[in-house]
């Protein structure tokens, strides 16, 4: 097995247990990331559908808004200075907050409308007031839709990047990490089996040598016993106690 397809490890039982734990963690992480990718893709498709609908409505709303603006200008002429003089603060404000989708933080924008000032309601009271108020209401709806579309577009871009990152991680775990760990575990198991076979063969060899040595010793003892049995009738036992007395030796 090539070293490129496995981790460079020492084939021991401890390393095998560590690799099994890492493989279990990688498999669990792959499953979780797969579920996360599915959840992000589902939300991505929902946002894409909403973006298409919002853009279609945007065309209609903007057309009506500019048409109402043309009507107000036709009735009142250029009324920009009148509007600027009577507006103190904005009646439409945008607030941003965050939304968590499967661990991905998505920014979200919302429009908050405040009560219109009395001065704004009295613009064009003399002539063309209704056209100005209709124009204002049309552009308020357009701003509301623009904020919604901006929120959807921002979420779309954020989810697109998160989906790409998650898919890269899923592919890395599925095609690189998990196969490498599996190959490493197979390599360690093969090496451990080989060591076990070598140890078994060594023990059998040692037992065989011991058995041969024992049989050789037994055969040698049997042969010596036979020789002693055969030479027992002819050999005489010398009694060194009852023999003649030796003369004293004087130095």
């Amino acid at each position: 097995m090539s070293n490129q397809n496995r981790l460079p490890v020492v084939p021991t039982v401890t390393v095998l247990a560590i690799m099994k734990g890492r493989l279990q963690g990688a498999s669990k992480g792959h499953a979780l990331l797969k579920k996360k990718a599915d959840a992000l893709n589902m939300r991505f498709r929902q946002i894409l559908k909403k973006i298409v609908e919002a853009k279609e409505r945007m065309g209609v709303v903007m057309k009506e808004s500019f048409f109402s603006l043309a009507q107000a200008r036709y009735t009142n002429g250029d009324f920009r200075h009148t509007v600027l003089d009577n507006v103190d603060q904005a009646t439409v404000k945008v607030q941003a907050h965050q939304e968590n989708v499967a661990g991905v933080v998505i920014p979200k924008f919302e429009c908050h409308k405040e009560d219109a000032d009395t001065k704004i309601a009295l613009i064009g009271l003399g002539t063309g007031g209704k056209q100005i108020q209709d124009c204002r209401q049309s552009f308020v709806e357009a701003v509301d839709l623009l904020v919604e579309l901006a929120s959807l577009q921002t979420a779309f871009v954020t989810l697109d990047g998160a989906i790409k990152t998650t898919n890269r991680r899923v592919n890395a775990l599925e095609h690189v990490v998990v196969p490498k760990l599996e190959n490493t575990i197979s390599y360690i198991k093969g090496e451990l089996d080989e060591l076990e076979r070598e140890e078994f063969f060594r023990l059998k060899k040692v037992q065989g040598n011991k058995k041969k040595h024992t049989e050789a010793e037994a055969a040698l003892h049997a042969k010596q016993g036979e020789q002693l049995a055969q030479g027992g009738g002819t050999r005489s036992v010398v009694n060194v106690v009852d023999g003649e007395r030796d003369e004293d030796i004087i130095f």
Side-chain angles (χ1 to χ4, degrees):
M1 188 180 295
S2 176
N3 291 331
Q4 296 179 355
N5 296 328
R6 64 173 178 83
L7 298 175
V9 295
V10 179
T12 61
V13 178
T14 304
V15 176
L16 178 62
I18 294 173
M19 290 297 110
K20 286 183 177 180
R22 291 180 61 179
L23 178 60
Q24 184 178 2
S27 301
K28 187 179 293 184
H30 175 266
L32 292 175
L33 286 175
K34 194 71 175 176
K35 291 180 180 178
K36 178 180 178 180
D38 294 339
L40 292 177
N41 281 319
M42 183 177 66
R43 186 60 182 273
F44 184 79
R45 288 191 293 269
Q46 293 175 354
I47 291 176
L48 182 60
K49 183 179 179 182
K50 290 181 180 179
I51 288 175
V52 173
E53 294 175 353
K55 286 186 176 181
E56 291 177 353
R57 286 189 288 124
M58 177 60 68
V60 177
V61 170
M62 293 302 293
K63 182 175 69 174
E64 293 177 353
S65 299
F66 281 100
F67 183 73
S68 64
L69 177 61
Q71 287 180 334
R73 285 180 175 175
Y74 179 78
T75 306
N76 299 279
D78 190 5
F79 56 89
R80 287 181 298 175
H81 299 291
T82 306
V83 172
L84 292 175
D85 291 338
N86 289 277
V87 172
D88 295 330
Q89 59 181 2
T91 58
V92 178
K93 296 183 179 180
V94 179
Q95 292 184 353
H97 61 89
Q98 293 178 342
E99 183 181 2
N100 194 329
V101 179
V104 179
V105 178
I106 298 176
K108 190 174 183 180
F109 309 111
E110 290 183 353
C111 270
H112 291 275
K113 299 176 184 177
E114 298 180 356
D115 294 335
D117 193 2
T118 309
K119 294 180 180 180
I120 299 177
L122 295 176
I123 294 177
L125 185 61
T127 56
K130 185 178 184 304
Q131 284 77 14
I132 293 176
Q133 294 301 324
D134 290 342
C135 178
R136 174 181 174 276
Q137 187 62 33
S138 298
F139 275 97
V140 167
E141 294 178 2
V143 169
D144 193 5
L145 191 57
L146 278 173
V147 172
E148 180 184 355
L149 186 59
S151 179
L152 291 173
Q153 288 282 98
T154 306
F156 180 85
V157 174
T158 305
L159 281 179
D160 185 50
I163 288 171
K164 289 180 180 178
T165 303
T166 304
N167 287 334
R168 282 197 298 269
R169 292 175 180 175
V170 169
N171 292 331
L173 285 172
E174 184 177 356
H175 300 292
V176 178
V177 178
V178 172
K180 185 171 288 189
L181 289 173
E182 289 177 348
N183 292 335
T184 304
I185 291 174
S186 300
Y187 163 73
I188 294 174
K189 286 182 177 179
E191 292 295 323
L192 291 177
D193 291 341
E194 185 67 25
L195 291 174
E196 186 177 356
R197 285 192 294 269
E198 290 179 0
E199 184 67 16
F200 180 73
F201 178 76
R202 188 183 67 80
L203 291 176
K204 284 189 66 176
K205 198 71 174 176
V206 170
Q207 289 178 355
N209 291 334
K210 285 183 178 179
K211 187 175 180 181
K212 288 180 181 180
H213 185 67
T214 303
E215 291 176 353
E217 287 183 351
L220 180 61
H221 288 313
K223 186 176 181 181
Q224 289 177 355
E226 291 177 358
Q227 290 178 355
L228 290 175
Q230 291 176 0
T234 56
R235 294 179 62 182
S236 59
V237 180
V238 180
N239 190 354
V240 296
V241 178
D242 296 336
E244 295 181 356
R245 183 180 178 82
D246 295 335
E247 296 181 359
D248 297 332
I249 298 174
I250 299 174
F251 294 97

